[in-house]
Amino acid sequence: MGRFLVNFFCKETMEKEARITEGYWHRFSSFLRNCMFNVLSVGPVPNHIAFIMDGNRRYAKKRNLPVGNGHKAGFSSLLWILGYCYELGVKYVTIYAFSIDNFKRRPSEVQTLMDLMLEKIEEMLKEESIVNKYGIRLCFIGNLKLLSDHVREAAERAMKVTAKNDRAVLLICVAYTSTDEIVHAVEESCEDKLDQSRAVGKINGWGNHSDNDQTSPKDHKHDPVIKVVDLENRMYMAVAPDPDILVRSSGETRLSNFLLWQSSYSQLYCPAALWPDLGLWHLVWAVLSYQRSYPYLQKKRKQQ
Amino acid sequence: MVATDSIRKSSSRMAQTPSFALSILWLLIHLVISIFFIVLGIVDTVEDYLISSGFLKRYDVINMGKLRYLAIVVDSEDAMQINKVLKLLQWLTDIGVKHVCLYDSEGVLKKSKEIILEKLSYAKLYEEGDEKSGLDSKTMILEFTSQFDGKEALARAANLLFKRHLKLSLGENQEEKIFTEAQMTEALKAVGSGGPEPDLLLVYGPARCHLGFPAWRLRYTEIVHMGSLDSMKYGPLLKAIYKFTLVRQNYGK
């Protein structure tokens, strides 16, 4: 009995000491990180960083784990990276969570991803989650009609609940591709112009033309013209400025139909690390590279 | 709460003027990074010498079958150095690249189109359908693009689709879908900006950035930064093309 009590109290003390040591270490590393961010902030800090979270499946394969575990590890990595970004002062973070192309994967994997997304959305809306701690507004970007009802409703609810948060924004691209976004923007712009014309009453004039009408160009001089700015206003990503940095993990150097319109003057960064292995130092390097290219990219943006 | 404190710290950090000590530290870090890139440049020069002299045997044989279409993005100011551009195209011909799209945002290369085609007797201008036709081993197809073929072309294509949409909305056949990716591709061809999608895009400029290359053609293109046109070397070019032939894409699957 005496030995049992001694062991019990020793174990309690050891666990308490481990928690205190962990607490000190956590505070010390936070202090170091804050110092580093103070130094980085001497130069320009990116306002918007976008991430292609590539490499979850390879991460799981390397460790002989099911694919779902790779995606879960990817989500943990995401929370760390988000925390670092918002601490540094990045206001907008965009993540490529699920492409329209990803629907071609095995149905079981697609279902796992959808279930994970649903679970994580619910988690993020809890009181103690990162969303409330950092005052993050959630925006789900993409053709949400392609999602199942459960996931779409959860996403819409998350957007509604966090609509008033204004410190930072997390844009989650789901059922998204750039080409789909561009076609959608074209369709919406066409509808806008049609509405404008109807309002002015010109559509009645056009309705009187015959099918084989050979009207000369001068008859169409008042036709509404869709401009680049009209398309930009109708992009899903119009809620945020263009990204300053676009990061793709796992060493691949392509954009895979992500933010093709918005990344004209974005610094591209392709670290070899798989997404679950991406950490603070990769982010620091991305920001330092951005700061080196900043004068040139700003000049190019202004010339546009 | 820790997180709210850190957001508050980041806002106050941005609002304050950085201290002298922090500024010095920041400059020091960037100085170290610049020295690192200088050393990297020296390593590249040595590697270029080894590749050009044939010491590195693995670059001798490259499977060019995978690289059907190469794009080169050049900074518009650098693009005025036509002799450099011509040298680059000559190297690409030696490597065996058949189809090149040259891009610079201001259209400097477009304006120099005639000079370039005149100097390269084996090169011809891209025409629709060229990608399907067989070419003899000496001909290189060249395409010249600028931001006119990027966002502006998408707006022109949008106007074409708008006109079709208007006609259909007035007519009887309301079933036909106008707003699809296939229709958009056709509309881009109709407005003169419908070239094929490059397999590999090489950026010659100060920053790793595609500078507005036509978005519709960039979906699965591998993008590699080669440094500025001033410091272009044959070795890194060959290495980039060789590395590309080793890449395997899943296309989202």
Side-chain angles (χ1 to χ4, degrees):
Chain A
M1 176 67 178
R3 198 181 292 176
F4 169 77
L5 283 170
V6 164
N7 283 343
F8 175 76
F9 283 116
C10 279
K11 191 178 163 202
E12 270 278 295
T13 317
M14 271 164 51
E15 279 176 3
K16 195 173 169 186
E17 279 176 5
R19 277 199 299 273
I20 292 170
T21 316
E22 205 185 291
Y24 281 135
W25 175 244
H26 179 75
R27 268 180 276 177
F28 181 61
S29 59
S30 282
F31 168 73
L32 282 181
R33 194 169 62 241
N34 196 42
C35 289
M36 186 157 50
F37 287 167
N38 277 332
V39 176
L40 279 183
S41 302
V42 171
V45 170
N47 190 31
H48 181 179
I49 304 182
F51 294 95
I52 301 178
M53 306 184 294
D54 193 16
N56 292 338
R57 291 190 296 180
R58 270 170 279 176
Y59 179 88
K61 197 174 169 187
K62 257 167 63 170
R63 285 157 179 75
N64 293 318
L65 295 168
V67 160
N69 286 46
H71 292 303
K72 283 185 182 151
F75 183 76
S76 303
S77 177
L78 170 65
L79 292 180
W80 282 110
I81 297 283
L82 282 182
Y84 299 148
C85 286
Y86 295 131
E87 270 182 47
L88 177 58
V90 178
K91 181 155 182 200
Y92 297 90
V93 175
T94 302
I95 58 171
Y96 200 10
F98 194 86
S99 162
I100 294 177
D101 293 335
N102 294 151
F103 279 116
K104 292 181 219 159
R105 290 185 179 178
R106 282 196 320 269
S108 56
E109 191 186 339
V110 174
Q111 190 56 47
T112 306
L113 281 164
M114 290 295 140
D115 291 340
L116 184 67
M117 214 178 311
L118 202 58
E119 184 194 318
K120 296 307 172 191
I121 293 173
E122 299 296 336
E123 256 180 51
M124 283 207 281
L125 294 180
K126 285 190 184 141
E127 189 64 41
E128 64 279 5
S129 78
I130 189 174
V131 164
N132 288 321
K133 278 182 184 169
Y134 286 105
I136 303 174
R137 176 160 62 101
L138 293 179
C139 291
F140 284 85
I141 305 283
N143 195 347
L144 303 185
K145 290 186 214 132
L146 297 176
L147 296 171
S148 67
D149 290 340
H150 297 305
V151 181
R152 189 178 56 255
E153 281 161 12
E156 282 164 1
R157 197 171 59 242
M159 284 196 277
K160 199 171 166 189
V161 162
T162 59
K164 292 207 171 72
N165 293 348
D166 60 358
R167 287 176 190 266
V169 186
L170 175 61
L171 300 105
I172 304 166
C173 291
V174 178
Y176 173 93
T177 56
S178 232
T179 42
D180 178 76
E181 182 187 26
I182 291 170
V183 168
H184 172 262
V186 168
E187 188 174 357
E188 294 291 307
S189 301
C190 288
E191 289 301 322
D192 289 344
K193 294 297 172 189
L194 212 58
D195 290 343
Q196 273 176 30
S197 304
R198 282 184 191 128
V200 177
K202 287 203 164 61
I203 196 73
N204 295 326
W206 291 342
N208 291 337
H209 292 168
S210 67
D211 284 348
N212 296 324
D213 190 68
Q214 297 291 318
T215 44
S216 62
K218 68 174 165 58
D219 293 316
H220 291 286
K221 68 173 182 246
H222 296 300
D223 285 0
V225 168
I226 297 174
K227 301 190 189 74
V228 169
V229 64
D230 298 318
L231 294 179
E232 286 200 334
N233 290 339
R234 281 313 207 157
M235 291 278 167
Y236 293 133
M237 285 292 296
V239 292
D242 288 347
D244 298 299
I245 308 177
L246 202 160
V247 181
R248 180 176 185 143
S249 56
S250 82
E252 304 295 340
T253 57
R254 54 191 178 270
L255 296 176
S256 294
N257 220 336
F258 181 59
L259 304 186
L260 305 178
W261 177 281
Q262 295 83 355
S263 58
S264 296
Y265 299 101
S266 305
Q267 168 86 6
L268 304 174
Y269 173 50
C270 305
L274 300 176
W275 176 254
D277 293 325
L278 209 78
L280 176 64
W281 292 110
H282 297 102
L283 182 67
V284 168
W285 183 253
V287 173
L288 287 169
S289 305
Y290 164 75
Q291 290 179 342
R292 282 173 62 85
S293 310
Y294 180 80
Y296 172 75
L297 290 175
Q298 280 302 101
K299 189 175 93 174
K300 288 290 148 185
R301 273 186 211 258
K302 284 181 182 139
Q303 278 173 3
Q304 195 191 0
Chain B
M1 289 173 62
V2 173
T4 338
D5 283 345
S6 54
I7 282 263
R8 215 176 286 133
K9 273 183 202 160
S10 72
S11 324
S12 67
R13 196 187 290 134
M14 291 193 308
Q16 286 167 10
T17 326
S19 73
F20 181 69
L22 284 179
S23 305
I24 292 289
L25 212 50
W26 182 82
L27 283 168
L28 259 170
I29 290 173
H30 276 284
L31 181 66
V32 167
I33 292 174
S34 298
I35 293 171
F36 168 71
F37 277 110
I38 291 171
V39 170
L40 219 58
I42 295 170
V43 169
D44 272 348
T45 309
V46 170
E47 197 179 41
D48 172 47
Y49 170 74
L50 291 174
I51 292 173
S52 306
S53 335
F55 284 113
L56 291 175
K57 296 288 173 198
R58 79 182 110 127
Y59 300 113
D60 284 353
V61 180
I62 297 183
N63 174 17
M64 292 303 296
K66 272 188 88 174
L67 183 58
R68 292 157 306 167
Y69 194 44
L70 176 75
I72 307 272
V73 165
V74 183
D75 173 64
S76 294
E77 282 174 22
D78 289 351
M80 294 187 200
Q81 301 176 66
I82 299 293
N83 52 335
K84 291 258 177 187
V85 175
L86 287 168
K87 193 172 175 185
L88 182 60
L89 290 172
Q90 183 59 58
W91 284 346
L92 289 171
T93 315
D94 294 342
I95 293 170
V97 178
K98 290 269 158 274
H99 203 152
V100 177
C101 172
L102 289 169
Y103 171 89
D104 78 288
S105 58
E106 305 296 316
V108 170
L109 291 171
K110 252 189 189 177
K111 290 178 196 149
S112 318
K113 186 166 58 175
E114 273 81 30
I115 303 173
I116 293 172
L117 288 169
E118 202 186 290
K119 298 273 184 189
L120 299 174
S121 51
Y122 50 80
K124 79 176 200 79
L125 203 58
Y126 168 77
E127 276 157 39
E128 212 189 297
D130 270 345
E131 55 265 30
K132 292 188 189 121
S133 64
L135 293 168
D136 63 59
S137 58
K138 293 201 186 77
T139 311
M140 177 191 261
I141 294 177
L142 279 182
E143 196 188 344
F144 294 85
T145 51
S146 66
Q147 61 187 8
F148 180 79
D149 304 288
K151 291 182 182 179
E152 291 171 30
L154 284 166
R156 291 196 305 278
N159 281 299
L160 202 66
L161 291 181
F162 178 50
K163 288 195 173 106
R164 282 186 208 162
H165 178 56
L166 267 182
K167 266 196 187 157
L168 278 184
S169 64
L170 299 170
E172 285 168 9
N173 185 9
Q174 310 230 351
E175 297 290 317
E176 192 187 335
K177 283 189 174 172
I178 293 287
F179 301 107
T180 62
E181 290 185 27
Q183 293 273 16
M184 193 71 197
T185 308
E186 285 308 312
L188 278 167
K189 280 191 184 142
V191 300
S193 295
E197 214 173 300
D199 302 300
L200 175 63
L201 187 145
L202 302 177
V203 179
Y204 280 95
R208 187 186 296 269
C209 169
H210 65 75
L211 300 178
F213 188 85
W216 203 258
R217 297 198 236 169
L218 208 49
R219 291 177 310 160
Y220 304 107
T221 307
E222 301 287 336
I223 301 171
V224 178
H225 182 221
M226 305 297 293
S228 75
L229 198 66
D230 281 334
S231 57
M232 70 177 197
K233 297 180 187 65
Y234 179 74
L237 175 65
L238 190 65
K239 190 175 164 187
I241 292 174
Y242 172 78
K243 272 185 163 174
F244 164 75
T245 59
L246 301 176
V247 162
R248 209 196 103 226
Q249 284 206 36
N250 287 330
Y251 297 99
K253 282 191 228 152

mmCIF file of all heavy atoms in Angstrom, chain B residues 82-108:
data_model
loop_
_atom_site.group_PDB
_atom_site.id
_atom_site.type_symbol
_atom_site.label_atom_id
_atom_site.label_comp_id
_atom_site.label_asym_id
_atom_site.label_seq_id
_atom_site.Cartn_x
_atom_site.Cartn_y
_atom_site.Cartn_z
ATOM 1 N N ILE B 82 17.358 41.796 -77.593
ATOM 2 C CA ILE B 82 16.953 40.803 -78.595
ATOM 3 C C ILE B 82 18.043 39.750 -78.810
ATOM 4 O O ILE B 82 17.744 38.568 -79.008
ATOM 5 C CB ILE B 82 16.612 41.510 -79.928
ATOM 6 C CG1 ILE B 82 15.450 42.476 -79.720
ATOM 7 C CG2 ILE B 82 16.275 40.511 -81.014
ATOM 8 C CD1 ILE B 82 14.126 41.832 -79.394
ATOM 9 N N ASN B 83 19.315 40.162 -78.727
ATOM 10 C CA ASN B 83 20.392 39.194 -78.968
ATOM 11 C C ASN B 83 20.379 38.071 -77.925
ATOM 12 O O ASN B 83 20.656 36.911 -78.234
ATOM 13 C CB ASN B 83 21.755 39.895 -78.997
ATOM 14 C CG ASN B 83 21.981 40.756 -77.771
ATOM 15 O OD1 ASN B 83 21.029 41.204 -77.145
ATOM 16 N ND2 ASN B 83 23.227 41.014 -77.434
ATOM 17 N N LYS B 84 19.990 38.425 -76.690
ATOM 18 C CA LYS B 84 19.899 37.399 -75.638
ATOM 19 C C LYS B 84 18.760 36.432 -75.949
ATOM 20 O O LYS B 84 18.869 35.221 -75.765
ATOM 21 C CB LYS B 84 19.637 38.054 -74.272
ATOM 22 C CG LYS B 84 20.794 38.854 -73.739
ATOM 23 C CD LYS B 84 21.533 38.090 -72.674
ATOM 24 C CE LYS B 84 22.730 38.881 -72.200
ATOM 25 N NZ LYS B 84 23.583 38.165 -71.304
ATOM 26 N N VAL B 85 17.638 36.997 -76.384
ATOM 27 C CA VAL B 85 16.472 36.176 -76.705
ATOM 28 C C VAL B 85 16.818 35.222 -77.853
ATOM 29 O O VAL B 85 16.482 34.040 -77.817
ATOM 30 C CB VAL B 85 15.254 37.063 -77.061
ATOM 31 C CG1 VAL B 85 14.080 36.237 -77.504
ATOM 32 C CG2 VAL B 85 14.865 37.936 -75.879
ATOM 33 N N LEU B 86 17.529 35.760 -78.849
ATOM 34 C CA LEU B 86 17.918 34.922 -80.000
ATOM 35 C C LEU B 86 18.848 33.795 -79.550
ATOM 36 O O LEU B 86 18.727 32.654 -80.003
ATOM 37 C CB LEU B 86 18.610 35.782 -81.060
ATOM 38 C CG LEU B 86 17.684 36.705 -81.848
ATOM 39 C CD1 LEU B 86 18.479 37.729 -82.656
ATOM 40 C CD2 LEU B 86 16.789 35.901 -82.790
ATOM 41 N N LYS B 87 19.766 34.126 -78.634
ATOM 42 C CA LYS B 87 20.707 33.112 -78.132
ATOM 43 C C LYS B 87 19.943 31.999 -77.406
ATOM 44 O O LYS B 87 20.219 30.806 -77.586
ATOM 45 C CB LYS B 87 21.680 33.799 -77.178
ATOM 46 C CG LYS B 87 22.901 32.981 -76.810
ATOM 47 C CD LYS B 87 23.859 33.854 -76.018
ATOM 48 C CE LYS B 87 25.042 33.078 -75.521
ATOM 49 N NZ LYS B 87 25.904 33.923 -74.658
ATOM 50 N N LEU B 88 18.956 32.416 -76.614
ATOM 51 C CA LEU B 88 18.146 31.453 -75.867
ATOM 52 C C LEU B 88 17.406 30.520 -76.823
ATOM 53 O O LEU B 88 17.371 29.305 -76.642
ATOM 54 C CB LEU B 88 17.162 32.221 -74.975
ATOM 55 C CG LEU B 88 16.242 31.403 -74.079
ATOM 56 C CD1 LEU B 88 17.033 30.557 -73.110
ATOM 57 C CD2 LEU B 88 15.305 32.327 -73.302
ATOM 58 N N LEU B 89 16.838 31.115 -77.877
ATOM 59 C CA LEU B 89 16.094 30.311 -78.853
ATOM 60 C C LEU B 89 17.031 29.348 -79.584
ATOM 61 O O LEU B 89 16.661 28.214 -79.883
ATOM 62 C CB LEU B 89 15.360 31.222 -79.849
ATOM 63 C CG LEU B 89 14.176 31.994 -79.261
ATOM 64 C CD1 LEU B 89 13.623 33.023 -80.239
ATOM 65 C CD2 LEU B 89 13.048 31.041 -78.854
ATOM 66 N N GLN B 90 18.257 29.798 -79.841
ATOM 67 C CA GLN B 90 19.231 28.927 -80.494
ATOM 68 C C GLN B 90 19.555 27.731 -79.604
ATOM 69 O O GLN B 90 19.611 26.588 -80.049
ATOM 70 C CB GLN B 90 20.510 29.739 -80.797
ATOM 71 C CG GLN B 90 21.587 28.953 -81.546
ATOM 72 C CD GLN B 90 21.103 28.425 -82.868
ATOM 73 O OE1 GLN B 90 20.660 29.185 -83.739
ATOM 74 N NE2 GLN B 90 21.143 27.113 -83.035
ATOM 75 N N TRP B 91 19.737 27.991 -78.297
ATOM 76 C CA TRP B 91 20.004 26.903 -77.357
ATOM 77 C C TRP B 91 18.841 25.914 -77.339
ATOM 78 O O TRP B 91 19.042 24.700 -77.307
ATOM 79 C CB TRP B 91 20.185 27.458 -75.934
ATOM 80 C CG TRP B 91 21.491 28.121 -75.676
ATOM 81 C CD1 TRP B 91 22.626 28.059 -76.444
ATOM 82 C CD2 TRP B 91 21.812 28.953 -74.564
ATOM 83 N NE1 TRP B 91 23.626 28.790 -75.865
ATOM 84 C CE2 TRP B 91 23.166 29.353 -74.706
ATOM 85 C CE3 TRP B 91 21.109 29.396 -73.443
ATOM 86 C CZ2 TRP B 91 23.802 30.179 -73.778
ATOM 87 C CZ3 TRP B 91 21.751 30.204 -72.528
ATOM 88 C CH2 TRP B 91 23.093 30.596 -72.696
ATOM 89 N N LEU B 92 17.611 26.456 -77.364
ATOM 90 C CA LEU B 92 16.436 25.573 -77.319
ATOM 91 C C LEU B 92 16.371 24.706 -78.571
ATOM 92 O O LEU B 92 15.995 23.532 -78.497
ATOM 93 C CB LEU B 92 15.152 26.411 -77.171
ATOM 94 C CG LEU B 92 14.968 27.077 -75.803
ATOM 95 C CD1 LEU B 92 13.792 28.044 -75.819
ATOM 96 C CD2 LEU B 92 14.744 26.026 -74.718
ATOM 97 N N THR B 93 16.745 25.280 -79.694
ATOM 98 C CA THR B 93 16.767 24.492 -80.930
ATOM 99 C C THR B 93 17.790 23.371 -80.807
ATOM 100 O O THR B 93 17.531 22.232 -81.190
ATOM 101 C CB THR B 93 17.145 25.370 -82.136
ATOM 102 O OG1 THR B 93 16.426 26.577 -82.063
ATOM 103 C CG2 THR B 93 16.854 24.667 -83.442
ATOM 104 N N ASP B 94 18.972 23.696 -80.257
ATOM 105 C CA ASP B 94 20.031 22.685 -80.102
ATOM 106 C C ASP B 94 19.567 21.548 -79.201
ATOM 107 O O ASP B 94 19.908 20.384 -79.416
ATOM 108 C CB ASP B 94 21.293 23.320 -79.476
ATOM 109 C CG ASP B 94 21.931 24.333 -80.413
ATOM 110 O OD1 ASP B 94 21.618 24.291 -81.621
ATOM 111 O OD2 ASP B 94 22.717 25.184 -79.936
ATOM 112 N N ILE B 95 18.765 21.898 -78.164
ATOM 113 C CA ILE B 95 18.275 20.874 -77.234
ATOM 114 C C ILE B 95 17.208 20.020 -77.896
ATOM 115 O O ILE B 95 17.037 18.843 -77.563
ATOM 116 C CB ILE B 95 17.725 21.545 -75.940
ATOM 117 C CG1 ILE B 95 18.875 22.203 -75.160
ATOM 118 C CG2 ILE B 95 17.030 20.535 -75.045
ATOM 119 C CD1 ILE B 95 18.427 23.079 -74.009
ATOM 120 N N GLY B 96 16.489 20.621 -78.854
ATOM 121 C CA GLY B 96 15.471 19.843 -79.579
ATOM 122 C C GLY B 96 14.045 20.282 -79.291
ATOM 123 O O GLY B 96 13.101 19.548 -79.572
ATOM 124 N N VAL B 97 13.874 21.490 -78.727
ATOM 125 C CA VAL B 97 12.526 21.987 -78.455
ATOM 126 C C VAL B 97 11.919 22.477 -79.770
ATOM 127 O O VAL B 97 12.567 23.216 -80.511
ATOM 128 C CB VAL B 97 12.564 23.143 -77.426
ATOM 129 C CG1 VAL B 97 11.176 23.682 -77.178
ATOM 130 C CG2 VAL B 97 13.194 22.671 -76.132
ATOM 131 N N LYS B 98 10.658 22.062 -80.033
ATOM 132 C CA LYS B 98 10.074 22.358 -81.352
ATOM 133 C C LYS B 98 9.106 23.537 -81.332
ATOM 134 O O LYS B 98 8.829 24.135 -82.346
ATOM 135 C CB LYS B 98 9.299 21.118 -81.837
ATOM 136 C CG LYS B 98 10.188 19.963 -82.215
ATOM 137 C CD LYS B 98 10.536 20.045 -83.687
ATOM 138 C CE LYS B 98 11.782 19.291 -84.036
ATOM 139 N NZ LYS B 98 13.017 20.020 -83.859
ATOM 140 N N HIS B 99 8.529 23.787 -80.168
ATOM 141 C CA HIS B 99 7.384 24.694 -80.127
ATOM 142 C C HIS B 99 7.556 25.600 -78.912
ATOM 143 O O HIS B 99 7.518 25.118 -77.783
ATOM 144 C CB HIS B 99 6.135 23.820 -79.965
ATOM 145 C CG HIS B 99 4.883 24.482 -80.425
ATOM 146 N ND1 HIS B 99 3.806 23.764 -80.897
ATOM 147 C CD2 HIS B 99 4.511 25.777 -80.484
ATOM 148 C CE1 HIS B 99 2.839 24.605 -81.227
ATOM 149 N NE2 HIS B 99 3.248 25.813 -80.994
ATOM 150 N N VAL B 100 7.761 26.903 -79.154
ATOM 151 C CA VAL B 100 8.036 27.821 -78.043
ATOM 152 C C VAL B 100 7.051 28.983 -78.059
ATOM 153 O O VAL B 100 6.797 29.572 -79.117
ATOM 154 C CB VAL B 100 9.475 28.379 -78.141
ATOM 155 C CG1 VAL B 100 9.739 29.396 -77.042
ATOM 156 C CG2 VAL B 100 10.495 27.259 -78.059
ATOM 157 N N CYS B 101 6.522 29.323 -76.874
ATOM 158 C CA CYS B 101 5.683 30.507 -76.739
ATOM 159 C C CYS B 101 6.473 31.531 -75.937
ATOM 160 O O CYS B 101 6.866 31.263 -74.807
ATOM 161 C CB CYS B 101 4.392 30.152 -76.007
ATOM 162 S SG CYS B 101 3.398 31.596 -75.591
ATOM 163 N N LEU B 102 6.715 32.674 -76.549
ATOM 164 C CA LEU B 102 7.448 33.738 -75.851
ATOM 165 C C LEU B 102 6.441 34.726 -75.276
ATOM 166 O O LEU B 102 5.523 35.164 -75.977
ATOM 167 C CB LEU B 102 8.375 34.476 -76.833
ATOM 168 C CG LEU B 102 9.589 33.692 -77.301
ATOM 169 C CD1 LEU B 102 10.265 34.410 -78.462
ATOM 170 C CD2 LEU B 102 10.593 33.500 -76.176
ATOM 171 N N TYR B 103 6.609 35.070 -73.997
ATOM 172 C CA TYR B 103 5.673 35.997 -73.354
ATOM 173 C C TYR B 103 6.430 37.099 -72.621
ATOM 174 O O TYR B 103 7.413 36.843 -71.927
ATOM 175 C CB TYR B 103 4.802 35.238 -72.343
ATOM 176 C CG TYR B 103 3.944 36.135 -71.467
ATOM 177 C CD1 TYR B 103 2.659 36.513 -71.866
ATOM 178 C CD2 TYR B 103 4.425 36.644 -70.258
ATOM 179 C CE1 TYR B 103 1.882 37.356 -71.083
ATOM 180 C CE2 TYR B 103 3.656 37.488 -69.473
ATOM 181 C CZ TYR B 103 2.383 37.833 -69.886
ATOM 182 O OH TYR B 103 1.610 38.679 -69.103
ATOM 183 N N ASP B 104 5.968 38.337 -72.799
ATOM 184 C CA ASP B 104 6.370 39.414 -71.877
ATOM 185 C C ASP B 104 5.166 40.321 -71.744
ATOM 186 O O ASP B 104 4.440 40.518 -72.712
ATOM 187 C CB ASP B 104 7.619 40.169 -72.358
ATOM 188 C CG ASP B 104 7.307 41.151 -73.459
ATOM 189 O OD1 ASP B 104 7.028 40.710 -74.573
ATOM 190 O OD2 ASP B 104 7.313 42.363 -73.224
ATOM 191 N N SER B 105 4.919 40.869 -70.564
ATOM 192 C CA SER B 105 3.622 41.494 -70.305
ATOM 193 C C SER B 105 3.366 42.716 -71.198
ATOM 194 O O SER B 105 2.239 42.939 -71.628
ATOM 195 C CB SER B 105 3.453 41.849 -68.826
ATOM 196 O OG SER B 105 4.486 42.699 -68.422
ATOM 197 N N GLU B 106 4.424 43.493 -71.513
ATOM 198 C CA GLU B 106 4.199 44.730 -72.283
ATOM 199 C C GLU B 106 4.108 44.492 -73.786
ATOM 200 O O GLU B 106 3.739 45.400 -74.515
ATOM 201 C CB GLU B 106 5.350 45.730 -72.035
ATOM 202 C CG GLU B 106 5.602 46.048 -70.577
ATOM 203 C CD GLU B 106 4.438 46.733 -69.913
ATOM 204 O OE1 GLU B 106 3.861 47.657 -70.514
ATOM 205 O OE2 GLU B 106 4.057 46.335 -68.791
ATOM 206 N N GLY B 107 4.487 43.304 -74.254
ATOM 207 C CA GLY B 107 4.422 43.031 -75.699
ATOM 208 C C GLY B 107 5.660 43.471 -76.460
ATOM 209 O O GLY B 107 5.602 43.655 -77.672
ATOM 210 N N VAL B 108 6.787 43.614 -75.762
ATOM 211 C CA VAL B 108 8.043 44.030 -76.424
ATOM 212 C C VAL B 108 8.475 42.968 -77.442
ATOM 213 O O VAL B 108 8.884 43.274 -78.560
ATOM 214 C CB VAL B 108 9.153 44.240 -75.365
ATOM 215 C CG1 VAL B 108 10.499 44.414 -76.008
ATOM 216 C CG2 VAL B 108 8.810 45.421 -74.470
#
